């Protein structure tokens, strides 16, 4: 079972028509629009494997009661929402579970319980409150005894053919997608794929991995020029670490938990606790500051399968994390440097910055009010010093500190929060971080968290649509393709291929020497969005030249090979 709880100011819903034939018709009273104020709306999808009704209902009720108690919500709306899963149970089974859940919840006299009609198309409107706990997603899994028995005692009975059919790659439904949707372009260019064996996790193909690695290499190069040290920390770490950081409790809805030798471990949702252990590994002096560390760490955060959206919303992703440790005197200067660095990256990719937000303390947080006052003031001062317009986003800071968020507008006019700068006085306190100052006294450093790409996967998804697949030459998976007019030009074309590889080491170049028409070859190259298509025929062979077609441009330009190599070298080296 999957459910998404939304703490709302109100919800309105009205059944329109039956979606399932077997469902009983509603009375005229039940067909009317309902408005329910101050509800906890529980969007619910019952799944095929939810066969242990008693345990599923118990856990479902327990989860709803726990959230309602945290939020002090007295009104519950059970709302069937099939879009949360692609593995739905039968309608009869789903209704059975929802009815039993409703019955048990109603025994709690503190709660008013409503259930939206099942099996009907409904129009609905709601206003979500927007505090840190207003949107929580959960998944309930209960193993049946028979399933456990089969797994433990009858391995020979496994139907591998059936299992293989179940895990086979699902076909992408493009009917509701725009032409430049990154999922369509990604398939055309053979960049990545998804599979239900790892929901929300990307299978990077060779071409997509090239883009991903180039973005990381570019960022690492920039970081080293800006005096960053690069680190890498484990993906799975002991529960104790996350209890110290606060992620175990404050971030529990997003966590993947595992066990090893009777110890609980967390698959990291964030990189910072590991980075803090690296800091603690050796004594620090004021001479080490500002200490800037960067990490391209893989993190996992729980998302319901129904809200996953290609690269734009995933479970596993790489964050271009960095942590800056400094003194309070250095703080303003370091924040401004991070703002400028973020602008540098977005300018590089010609991304449209929509707006910047200053997000302040949430209701659920760590640290004292004094810490929060100081942190919020420092971020605000830096923004004002740089004369940057910003929106105040009250109550939406991280649980450990306020933040500056950078929102980018994509090619479909959607807004995405990518970069963030977060100021943290709490983690250095909780981890007992110290440095020795000029006066030989031990003091507490200030910590800045920052990301620019944010989720690298989301950043790539936005770039694919932003460029419509036509990446700058330095990012393109295939940078040059050589085509021959006829078989008699093949040797000359192979000579050009060799000279280009010798002239530009690591050039991503291939050739299409098939015995087919040039228009057919060009069409294939265009589908791959290759920046440069070189065509050679009798005329080019006679003149010792090449005909170059720049990506997306029908015009063909005749140039000498040496000139082309020189131009291409600059484009790639300077990442133009």
């Amino acid at each position: 079972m999957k459910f998404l709880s939304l703490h709302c100011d109100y919800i309105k819903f009205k059944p329109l028509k039956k979606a399932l034939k077997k469902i009983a018709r509603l009375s005229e009273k039940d067909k009317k629009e309902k408005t329910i104020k101050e509800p906890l709306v529980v969007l619910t999808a019952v799944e095929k494997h939810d066969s242990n009704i008693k345990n599923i209902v118990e856990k479902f009720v327990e989860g709803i009661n726990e959230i309602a108690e945290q939020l002090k919500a007295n009104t519950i709306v059970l709302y069937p929402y099939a879009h949360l899963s692609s593995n739905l149970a039968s309608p009869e089974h789903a209704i059975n579970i929802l009815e039993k859940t409703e019955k048990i919840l109603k025994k709690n006299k503190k709660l008013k319980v409503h259930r939206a009609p099942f099996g009907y198309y409904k129009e609905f409107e709601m206003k979500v409150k927007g505090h840190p706990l207003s949107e929580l997603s959960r998944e309930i899994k209960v193993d049946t005894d028979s399933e456990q028995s089969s797994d433990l005692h009858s391995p020979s009975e496994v139907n591998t053919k059936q299992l293989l059919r179940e895990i086979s790659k699902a076909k992408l439904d493009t009917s509701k997608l725009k032409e430049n949707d990154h999922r369509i372009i990604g398939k055309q260019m053979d960049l990545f794929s998804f599979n239900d064996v790892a929901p929300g996790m990307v299978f990077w193909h060779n071409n997509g991995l090239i883009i991903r690695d180039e973005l990381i290499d570019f960022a690492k190069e920039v970081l080293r020029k800006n005096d960053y040290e690069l680190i890498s920390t484990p993906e799975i770490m002991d529960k104790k670490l996350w209890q110290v950081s606060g992620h175990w409790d404050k971030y529990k809805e997003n966590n993947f938990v595992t066990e090893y030798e009777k110890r609980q471990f967390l698959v990291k949702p964030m990189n910072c606790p590991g980075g803090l252990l690296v800091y603690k590994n050796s004594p620090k002096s004021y001479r080490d500051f500002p200490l800037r560390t960067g990490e391209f760490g893989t993190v996992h955060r729980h998302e319901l399968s129904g809200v996953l959206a290609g690269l734009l919303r995933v479970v596993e992703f790489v964050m271009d994390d960095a942590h800056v440790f400094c003194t309070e005197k250095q703080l303003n200067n370091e924040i401004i440097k991070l703002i400028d660095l973020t602008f540098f990256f977005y300018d590089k990719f010609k991304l449209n910055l929509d707006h910047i937000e200053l997000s302040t303390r949430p209701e659920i947080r760590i640290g004292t009010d004094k810490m929060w006052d100081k942190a919020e003031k420092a971020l605000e001062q830096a923004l004002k010093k740089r004369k940057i317009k910003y929106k105040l986003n009250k109550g939406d800071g991280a649980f450990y500190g306020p933040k500056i968020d950078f929102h980018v507008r994509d090619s479909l006019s959607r807004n995405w929060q990518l970069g963030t700068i977060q100021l943290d006085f709490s983690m250095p306190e909780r981890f007992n971080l110290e440095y020795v100052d000029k006066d030989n006294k031990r003091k507490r450093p200030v910590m800045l968290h920052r990301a620019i790409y944010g989720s690298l996967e989301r950043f790539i998804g936005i770039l694919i649509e932003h460029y419509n697949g036509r990446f700058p030459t330095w990012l393109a998976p295939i940078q040059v393709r050589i085509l021959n007019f006829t078989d008699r030009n093949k040797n000359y074309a192979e000579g050009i291929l060799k000279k280009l590889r010798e002239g530009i080491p690591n050039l991503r170049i291939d050739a299409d020497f098939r015995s087919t028409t040039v228009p057919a070859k060009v069409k294939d190259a265009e589908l791959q969005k290759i920046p440069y298509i070189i065509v050679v025929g009798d005329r080019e062979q006679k003149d010792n030249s090449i005909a170059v077609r720049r990506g997306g441009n029908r015009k063909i330009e005749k140039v000498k090979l040496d000139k082309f190599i020189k131009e291409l070298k600059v484009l790639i080296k300077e990442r133009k």
Side-chain angles (χ1 to χ4, degrees):
M1 173 187 280
K2 293 186 174 74
F3 71 91
L4 176 65
S5 68
L6 302 170
H7 194 200
C8 300
D9 289 333
Y10 69 87
I11 182 172
K12 292 180 186 178
F13 59 85
K14 181 182 178 182
L16 299 178
K17 64 177 182 178
K18 283 176 67 173
L20 299 170
K21 288 183 181 178
K22 294 182 181 179
I23 298 299
R25 290 190 177 276
L26 294 174
S27 66
E28 290 304 312
K29 180 185 174 183
D30 290 334
K31 285 181 181 178
K32 291 181 179 178
E33 181 180 88
K34 285 188 179 180
T35 301
I36 300 163
K37 294 181 178 179
E38 297 296 322
L40 176 66
V41 180
V42 185
L43 303 177
T44 310
V46 180
E47 299 181 294
K48 286 178 182 176
H49 53 255
D50 297 333
S51 53
N52 191 328
I53 296 175
K54 181 175 179 293
N55 286 355
I56 282 287
V57 171
E58 278 180 9
K59 288 199 170 190
F60 191 26
V61 169
E62 182 186 324
I64 293 170
N65 279 328
E66 180 193 330
I67 296 168
E69 191 176 329
Q70 276 184 296
L71 299 173
K72 296 182 173 55
N74 300 316
T75 304
I76 308 295
V77 177
L78 293 174
Y79 199 104
Y81 199 68
H83 304 291
L84 293 178
S85 175
S86 58
N87 187 34
L88 294 171
S90 69
E92 296 81 8
H93 185 63
I95 291 171
N96 189 8
I97 285 178
L98 289 169
E99 285 177 346
K100 288 181 185 301
T101 302
E102 181 186 16
K103 188 176 178 181
I104 294 172
L105 284 171
K106 281 183 172 177
K107 289 179 181 178
N108 184 343
K109 293 180 180 179
K110 293 180 182 178
L111 297 178
K112 292 179 183 177
V113 184
H114 305 266
R115 180 159 60 88
F118 187 97
Y120 267 74
Y121 294 113
K122 297 179 283 292
E123 62 179 24
F124 69 98
E125 174 188 313
M126 66 176 82
K127 184 181 179 186
V128 181
K129 287 183 178 290
H131 59 72
L133 293 180
S134 60
E135 301 177 47
L136 299 174
S137 60
R138 290 192 177 181
E139 182 172 10
I140 298 172
K141 287 185 179 179
V142 176
D143 291 330
T144 64
D145 292 338
S146 61
E147 285 170 338
Q148 289 174 346
S149 172
S150 173
D151 287 344
L152 293 171
H153 304 296
S154 309
S156 60
E157 296 175 12
V158 169
N159 184 337
T160 55
K161 289 183 178 179
Q162 175 61 27
L163 291 177
L164 189 59
R165 280 195 293 271
E166 288 176 13
I167 67 173
S168 292
K169 184 176 62 176
K171 289 184 178 179
L172 178 66
D173 179 9
T174 61
S175 60
K176 295 178 182 178
L177 303 180
K178 302 284 186 184
E179 277 187 23
N180 77 323
D181 189 287
H182 71 280
R183 287 162 286 191
I184 293 175
I185 296 171
K187 186 174 178 62
Q188 288 173 347
M189 296 178 67
D190 194 23
L191 303 180
F192 56 84
S193 60
F194 290 91
N195 192 294
D196 277 347
V197 297
M201 305 183 202
V202 187
F203 289 76
W204 288 106
H205 300 191
N206 178 69
N207 288 348
L209 194 61
I210 286 169
I211 296 168
R212 181 177 177 267
D213 289 348
E214 284 287 350
L215 286 170
I216 291 174
D217 289 345
F218 168 60
K220 284 182 176 179
E221 186 180 299
V222 173
L223 292 188
R224 288 193 174 102
K225 285 178 182 176
N226 284 271
D227 299 321
Y228 279 74
E229 297 177 1
L230 294 175
I231 64 171
S232 178
T233 60
E235 287 184 35
I236 302 174
M237 291 180 275
D238 194 291
K239 172 184 176 180
K240 298 185 187 74
L241 174 70
W242 304 100
Q243 286 176 312
V244 173
S245 70
H247 290 89
W248 189 265
D249 295 316
K250 308 288 182 188
Y251 209 70
K252 62 183 176 183
E253 304 303 331
N254 297 80
N255 294 339
F256 286 91
V257 180
T258 186
E259 197 171 282
Y260 171 67
E261 293 186 345
K262 298 182 179 178
R263 290 165 59 193
Q264 282 190 300
F265 286 74
L266 195 64
V267 182
K268 68 177 177 182
M270 293 185 181
N271 296 302
C272 37
L276 288 159
L277 291 185
V278 172
Y279 179 100
K280 286 179 70 69
N281 196 54
S282 61
K284 299 292 185 292
S285 156
Y286 71 94
R287 294 186 182 88
D288 297 314
F289 289 164
L291 175 60
R292 306 181 186 107
T293 60
E295 176 174 13
F296 292 81
T298 301
V299 298
H300 292 76
R301 298 181 187 175
H302 194 282
E303 293 279 6
L304 294 179
S305 59
V307 299
L308 300 173
L311 297 176
L312 300 178
R313 191 151 189 175
V314 289
V315 169
E316 178 193 71
F317 55 96
V318 173
M319 281 194 75
D320 65 320
D321 250 329
H323 300 103
V324 178
F325 303 93
C326 62
T327 67
E328 285 191 35
K329 285 182 180 179
Q330 295 168 331
L331 187 55
N332 189 264
N333 191 45
E334 289 304 307
I335 295 170
I336 289 171
K337 280 188 174 181
L338 292 179
I339 291 171
D340 290 342
L341 191 64
T342 305
F343 287 157
F344 167 78
F345 270 83
Y346 296 167
D347 285 345
K348 182 73 180 176
F349 298 100
K350 293 182 170 57
L351 290 175
N352 301 309
L353 191 63
D354 186 79
H355 69 277
I356 291 170
E357 288 180 353
L358 173 58
S359 300
T360 57
R361 70 196 75 185
E363 290 178 25
I364 297 174
R365 58 183 183 268
I366 58 176
T368 65
D369 285 344
K370 187 178 178 181
M371 286 178 177
W372 279 89
D373 290 340
K374 193 189 293 186
E376 287 170 358
K377 187 178 178 182
L379 291 181
E380 188 176 22
Q381 283 177 340
L383 287 167
K384 286 180 176 177
K385 190 172 180 179
R386 278 286 276 105
K387 296 180 180 178
I388 293 170
K389 291 181 181 179
Y390 64 91
K391 294 180 181 180
L392 191 62
N393 187 16
K394 288 185 178 180
D396 202 36
F399 71 84
Y400 47 78
K403 55 180 183 158
I404 297 170
D405 288 333
F406 298 81
H407 290 255
V408 165
R409 188 172 66 257
D410 71 9
S411 61
L412 298 175
S413 293
R414 298 169 299 189
N415 284 328
W416 298 99
Q417 186 251 303
L418 296 182
T420 186
I421 298 169
Q422 303 170 354
L423 177 47
D424 187 355
F425 285 100
S426 299
M427 290 286 180
E429 187 81 29
R430 290 172 79 96
F431 278 81
N432 194 27
L433 300 190
E434 292 181 336
Y435 71 94
V436 178
D437 207 356
K438 291 177 184 176
D439 54 13
N440 212 31
K441 288 182 180 177
R442 294 188 178 277
K443 294 185 180 176
R444 191 82 67 214
V446 185
M447 182 179 185
L448 286 161
H449 308 246
R450 81 102 184 97
I452 296 175
Y453 292 146
S455 155
L456 196 59
E457 281 69 10
R458 176 178 288 176
F459 192 81
I460 292 171
I462 291 168
L463 278 191
I464 290 170
E465 294 176 2
H466 178 65
Y467 293 129
N468 198 21
R470 295 200 177 279
F471 289 94
T473 306
W474 68 274
L475 263 183
I478 305 168
Q479 295 164 323
V480 181
R481 175 169 291 174
I482 299 180
L483 317 178
N484 62 324
F485 261 96
T486 64
D487 288 342
R488 66 176 173 269
N489 308 123
K490 186 180 175 183
N491 288 341
Y492 178 69
E494 285 175 341
I496 298 293
L497 180 67
K498 185 181 178 184
K499 286 176 183 177
L500 277 164
R501 283 177 170 159
E502 289 171 352
I504 311 174
N506 302 317
L507 177 67
R508 295 189 290 274
I509 183 172
D510 67 10
D512 184 351
F513 297 153
R514 291 174 299 160
S515 297
T516 186
T517 65
V518 169
K521 294 179 185 181
V522 169
K523 185 180 178 182
D524 286 347
E526 281 296 313
L527 280 174
Q528 290 290 310
K529 316 281 189 182
I530 297 169
Y532 289 95
I533 302 168
I534 294 176
V535 183
V536 292
D538 292 340
R539 188 181 301 171
E540 287 75 28
Q541 189 167 340
K542 183 181 177 182
D543 297 343
N544 195 25
S545 64
I546 56 174
V548 178
R549 176 177 170 144
R550 299 172 194 273
N553 191 340
R554 292 183 177 276
K555 186 180 177 183
I556 294 178
E557 181 185 354
K558 197 170 180 181
V559 295
K560 291 293 184 182
L561 183 60
D562 290 347
K563 184 184 176 184
F564 178 70
I565 289 174
K566 190 176 178 181
E567 176 191 325
L568 200 54
K569 264 185 179 177
V570 172
L571 277 176
I572 294 170
K573 186 180 178 182
E574 297 183 10
R575 296 188 172 96
K576 289 190 174 181

